[in-house]
Amino acid sequence: MQPSPSTDSAPLVRLSGVGKRFGNGTLALQGMTLDIGAQDFVSFLGPSGCGKSTALRLIAGLTSLSAGRMQWTAPQSSDAHSDRELGFVFQEPTLMPWAKVFDNVWLPLKLAGMGRDEAAPVVAQVLEMVGLSRFADVYPRELSGGMKMRVSIARALVTRPRLLLMDEPFAALDEMTRIKLNNDLLAIWREHRLSVVFVTHSVYESVYLSNRIVVMAPRPGRVVDEIRIDEPYPRGEAFRTSSRYNAHCMAVSDSLHGALNGIDIDH
Ligand code: ADP
């Protein structure tokens, strides 16, 4: 068994007092201070509008900071296939419908200038990681929702990022598919020594996956608590059905509801 990751080593990314105010005046995120450690699995948990996606997009560089600082503190890995340190998985798989699975996954490498032949073994490797080795030649429309999400994860991993950012990736999937993808994601995370930041509404999902849960509240979007889930990995059905898991879920739920007391939430 592997203990939960430690945050003692140098963080991968350090956020110091990070804030975001949009042009229309909305303060989407205020004063977020957080270290994301190498091999952390961090969840951002909270109701709609508490700034989870904004925080993720800030880390991804998809939107600019309006306050605070963000530092990447660790050196770049030598076997990365591009300068990008991170991969991003959206709630929708966002695949190109006219392109086969191989071409969808190749895309980030193609954009970085890598030809099909050179990319082929790399694409094959990530398709194997997500359990889709036999599906390189099919179109997205031939795949289930869970399989489309697997393609999306493969595409995010093809540049061998150290940080995987995931914005409610499994919210639209049925419960069984979600559990399977949770387990497979944990296996990929452990085997490839990634860091993951995972946005979710679900207390249960955050406790199952994470070693750290960042609890957030809205108006303005902000961090209200951080809870460590000091349970060993791998985590499987035995953990999911344990009294310890239940106790963690109750503690996280209490923290979330305590923070939201008196706040009128828009769903
Ligand atoms: P969450 O992911 O927790 O649901 P978001 O980060 O999407 O929250 O949004 C936080 C707040 O910022 C919300 O009030 C939302 O309406 C607002 N917001 C998000 N994106 C924009 C934008 N591009 N322009 C203006 N306001 C935005």
Side-chain angles (χ1 to χ4, degrees), residues 44-220:
F44 292 170
L45 175 73
S48 294
C50 70
K52 304 182 297 295
S53 294
T54 300
L56 205 67
R57 293 172 63 82
L58 284 167
I59 296 169
L62 294 172
T63 187
S64 58
L65 307 182
S66 41
R69 283 198 312 153
M70 193 162 60
Q71 295 161 278
W72 290 77
T73 49
Q76 206 173 332
S77 92
S78 55
D79 66 349
H81 281 286
S82 87
D83 292 341
R84 293 189 64 195
E85 299 274 354
L86 51 89
F88 201 105
V89 177
F90 298 90
Q91 183 168 351
E92 296 297 325
T94 62
L95 304 178
M96 301 179 290
W98 60 86
K100 291 181 174 174
V101 164
F102 179 97
D103 297 291
N104 269 286
V105 175
W106 173 31
L107 181 68
L109 297 179
K110 191 177 177 184
L111 293 174
M114 191 185 287
R116 174 179 277 273
D117 289 349
E118 193 187 349
V122 186
V123 172
Q125 192 195 18
V126 285
L127 285 178
E128 191 182 340
M129 278 163 70
V130 299
L132 289 183
S133 292
R134 292 185 298 114
F135 295 88
D137 274 336
V138 308
Y139 288 96
R141 65 174 174 273
E142 300 172 68
L143 301 175
S144 68
M147 289 163 93
K148 285 184 193 147
M149 185 47 72
R150 288 173 187 275
V151 177
S152 178
I153 294 170
R155 184 184 52 194
L157 292 174
V158 79
T159 55
R160 300 205 182 149
R162 286 181 303 153
L163 178 61
L164 185 61
L165 303 174
M166 308 183 86
D167 194 355
E168 297 198 58
F170 308 145
L173 302 177
D174 66 80
E175 187 66 13
M176 292 312 291
T177 306
R178 188 173 182 159
I179 288 174
K180 182 85 177 75
L181 274 160
N182 279 177
N183 289 336
D184 290 355
L185 173 62
L186 280 183
I188 290 169
W189 165 69
R190 293 179 65 232
E191 188 177 339
H192 296 275
R193 308 173 76 81
L194 294 166
S195 302
V196 176
V197 180
F198 189 96
V199 166
T200 181
H201 278 108
S202 164
V203 168
Y204 304 102
E205 188 173 46
S206 68
V207 170
Y208 186 66
L209 294 173
S210 324
N211 68 313
R212 297 164 64 200
I213 300 175
V214 174
V215 181
M216 299 177 68
R219 297 206 200 99

Side-chain angles (χ1 to χ4, degrees), residues 3-19:
S4 4
S6 154
T7 48
D8 296 343
S9 54
L12 196 59
V13 191
R14 169 163 286 173
L15 281 68
S16 313
V18 164

